[in-house]
Amino acid sequence: MGHLTARDAYLNLSDRINWFTQGAPESETLYKILQVLYSEKEAKWVALLPVRPFTVKKAAKIWETTELKAERLLNHLCEKALLVDSYHNGIRKFVMPPPMAGFIEFALMRTRGDIDQKYLGELYYQYMNVEEDFIKDLFFATETKLGRVYVQEPVLMTDKTNHILDYERASHIVKEADYIGLGLCYCRHKMSHAGHPCEINAPWDVCLTFDNVARSLAEHGDYTRLVSKEEAMDALERSYASNLVQIGENVREHPAFICNCCGCCCEALQAARKFSPMQPVATTNYIPRISGETCVGCGKCEKACPILAISMETNEHGKRKAVVDEEICLGCGVCARNCSVKAIKLEKRAKQIITPVNSTHRFVLQAIEKGTLQNLIFDNQAFASHRAMAALFGTILKLPPLKQAMASKQLKSIYLDRLLSLYKRKPVEESPKGSKSLT
């Protein structure tokens, strides 16, 4: 009976994880991973927590304990990077990070002796690189992607510089952050334990986290090290030099992370290779163009491309030339950086890539697309107040009509239908910049 009880705790935790828009498909390997990361008691505690941020008082009520005991438990979970904390108007709140980017990565963002990291790395490899259900769900279950690629800024330091929007610049994210954390690359750490070390010997200490996530991981357990903006820029420069791709949270404002990724270890880039032409992450707004007259056919760009989007072709005259598969190209700029004769130029894509405003916007879009929007609203009454409901519906009101209709259908809410109909009837006026706004 004790074994069944323990397994039930982890099954309940698995169910709780799958309340996220981004879940973790059940398997025996996932069960083993959760056993490494959580004790049986921790699994029982966390399985009861809300999806959205909550206070000590809320946790104490759910766990039916005192606030003092609840805070101790919450601090303990933060020390294990199973929760992260933040402060809003002086009030401390906690949230369970999603599997990725979240508690799966955090466990390998530093070396530690309290868990068997080699065994965990092997389990991760089995779950993600062999079984694949998690990866397919993570990258391909929704139209709105978890991550997006940043274009390598040094490649665009020309007359095109003025066309780069702030949110497209990794350097701007660094500049705007209140806290910056530097940790080990989870992907290369995992692959080394699984017996598949990085093929290009890329640096490990280049994983960047920002703001509350960085502060929480640094304060609780030293999973990251708080660094200056100068040191963060150095991490970017070292990553550029190693032909790594910058992939961050798919938002315009205050992304939680920027990873510096290699094609041999990164799950996203591996997925781009394996499941081509499906895109696992949002591309940049740029695409490489190769000059047939300038290209000398050296093949450096083909070798450097992290997702194998460039191949060498020979024309009828026997001249070799690089060719880009634009359907799968991420627009990262690694190829242009490696072209010694400057035959590759990055140009704007014909179709602009739309990026969610912030994390809430991304969560709602993904929840609508995956059919789990109701989880954000009715999660342990985390959204029970009219204020929280209004904030959520406010986000929905800003969505395109098709996604509004999808949201309405999922919630089956007369209240939401009425809000949407009232919104459509309100007059719209042009703002000074030409964009539309409600009167």
Side-chain angles (χ1 to χ4, degrees):
M1 178 63 72
H3 174 70
L4 291 176
T5 301
R7 189 171 185 87
D8 285 345
Y10 291 105
L11 289 175
N12 289 338
L13 176 59
S14 176
D15 289 341
R16 162 63 182 79
I17 291 169
N18 282 293
W19 270 66
F20 283 116
T21 300
Q22 171 210 136
E26 290 185 15
S27 78
E28 189 64 27
T29 308
L30 176 64
Y31 173 68
K32 293 177 181 178
I33 289 171
L34 296 179
Q35 280 186 307
V36 174
L37 298 178
Y38 298 80
S39 70
E40 180 186 342
K41 287 184 178 180
E42 291 163 354
K44 290 179 179 178
W45 297 337
V46 175
L48 297 172
L49 293 175
V51 171
R52 305 305 300 146
F54 57 89
T55 62
V56 171
K57 184 176 181 179
K58 178 72 173 179
K61 183 178 179 181
I62 292 171
W63 288 337
E64 297 181 347
T65 188
T66 66
E67 290 187 25
L68 180 61
K69 289 183 178 179
E71 187 165 27
R72 288 175 183 168
L73 295 178
L74 293 170
N75 285 335
H76 170 72
L77 292 167
C78 284
E79 290 293 330
K80 295 189 71 175
L82 301 176
L83 294 180
V84 293
D85 66 351
S86 61
Y87 292 87
H88 300 277
N89 298 323
I91 299 175
R92 189 184 186 194
K93 292 188 176 183
F94 301 83
V95 70
M96 179 186 179
M100 190 176 288
F103 68 84
I104 283 179
E105 282 127 318
F106 297 163
L108 293 183
M109 280 177 60
R110 69 171 175 87
T111 55
R112 51 194 288 199
D114 59 320
I115 61 174
D116 186 339
Q117 288 187 309
K118 185 179 190 314
Y119 176 56
L120 183 62
E122 291 168 347
L123 289 174
Y124 281 171
Y125 183 83
Q126 173 66 28
Y127 188 55
M128 286 174 262
N129 298 77
V130 177
E131 295 177 13
E132 292 185 347
D133 286 346
F134 175 76
I135 292 300
K136 291 176 181 177
D137 183 74
L138 178 67
F139 293 125
F140 304 115
T142 58
E143 178 186 348
T144 302
K145 303 302 183 184
L146 164 67
R148 67 182 179 92
V149 180
Y150 289 83
V151 65
Q152 287 206 2
E153 293 175 53
V155 176
L156 285 173
M157 289 299 127
T158 63
D159 57 328
K160 295 186 178 66
T161 301
N162 293 334
H163 298 286
I164 313 175
L165 300 175
D166 281 345
Y167 72 84
E168 296 179 293
R169 303 171 183 261
S171 63
H172 176 76
I173 305 305
V174 168
K175 180 181 177 181
E176 293 293 302
D178 292 326
Y179 298 98
I180 306 172
L182 190 64
L184 296 183
C185 170
Y186 140 83
C187 295
R188 289 187 278 283
H189 193 180
K190 175 200 77 173
M191 294 296 272
S192 70
H193 285 308
H196 302 277
C198 179
E199 295 171 5
I200 62 173
N201 197 29
W204 285 24
D205 58 333
V206 291
C207 184
L208 294 166
T209 50
F210 302 102
D211 297 327
N212 271 319
V213 173
R215 181 203 50 75
S216 183
L217 291 175
E219 288 182 1
H220 306 290
D222 296 322
Y223 292 88
T224 63
R225 177 173 59 87
L226 292 182
V227 299
S228 66
K229 299 182 192 303
E230 290 75 19
E231 193 166 352
M233 287 303 301
D234 176 70
L236 283 177
E237 292 297 335
R238 288 187 288 116
S239 299
Y240 294 152
S242 296
N243 291 329
L244 302 183
V245 179
Q246 290 65 55
I247 300 178
E249 184 184 4
N250 186 26
V251 296
R252 297 201 299 266
E253 298 176 355
H254 306 293
F257 65 90
I258 293 180
C259 300
N260 290 287
C261 308
C262 57
C264 50
C265 298
C266 169
E267 278 100 8
L269 299 184
Q270 282 285 302
R273 292 183 177 191
K274 188 173 293 186
F275 302 110
S276 170
M278 293 191 296
Q279 291 282 14
V281 291
T283 70
T284 73
N285 280 306
Y286 296 89
I287 197 78
R289 305 293 185 198
I290 301 177
S291 168
E293 291 73 25
T294 312
C295 177
V296 296
C298 66
K300 290 180 181 177
C301 57
E302 179 188 31
K303 183 178 179 180
C305 179
I307 60 165
L308 313 179
I310 298 180
S311 59
M312 303 302 297
E313 293 185 357
T314 303
N315 64 19
E316 64 274 15
H317 303 294
K319 182 180 179 182
R320 278 165 41 98
K321 176 192 172 184
V323 177
V324 178
D325 186 341
E326 296 186 5
E327 191 174 10
I328 66 174
C329 177
L330 299 176
C332 63
V334 167
C335 58
R337 182 184 180 90
N338 282 269
C339 183
S340 57
V341 296
K342 308 299 181 184
I344 304 177
K345 303 293 183 184
L346 293 184
E347 297 181 359
K348 277 280 190 179
R349 292 179 187 262
K351 184 177 180 181
Q352 186 79 4
I353 306 300
I354 304 301
T355 304
V357 176
N358 51 34
S359 296
T360 300
H361 189 193
R362 177 174 66 81
F363 291 153
V364 171
L365 285 172
Q366 290 182 312
I368 290 173
E369 293 162 0
K370 203 170 184 180
T372 59
L373 184 61
Q374 64 278 5
N375 293 354
L376 294 179
I377 298 174
F378 302 111
D379 166 36
N380 285 348
Q381 299 181 337
F383 274 75
S385 72
H386 288 296
R387 179 178 298 177
M389 291 287 282
L392 179 63
F393 286 133
T395 300
I396 294 172
L397 292 174
K398 297 175 183 177
L399 299 177
L402 179 59
K403 293 196 186 298
Q404 288 183 0
M406 292 170 65
S408 178
K409 182 178 179 181
Q410 285 179 35
L411 293 174
K412 298 179 180 178
S413 166
I414 295 174
Y415 175 46
L416 177 56
D417 284 338
R418 184 172 297 176
L419 275 177
L420 294 177
S421 64
L422 289 173
Y423 178 81
K424 290 173 183 176
R425 288 201 298 266
K426 284 193 173 187
V428 175
E429 66 178 9
E430 292 292 325
S431 70
K433 293 184 179 180
S435 59
K436 295 182 178 180
S437 61
L438 286 176
T439 58

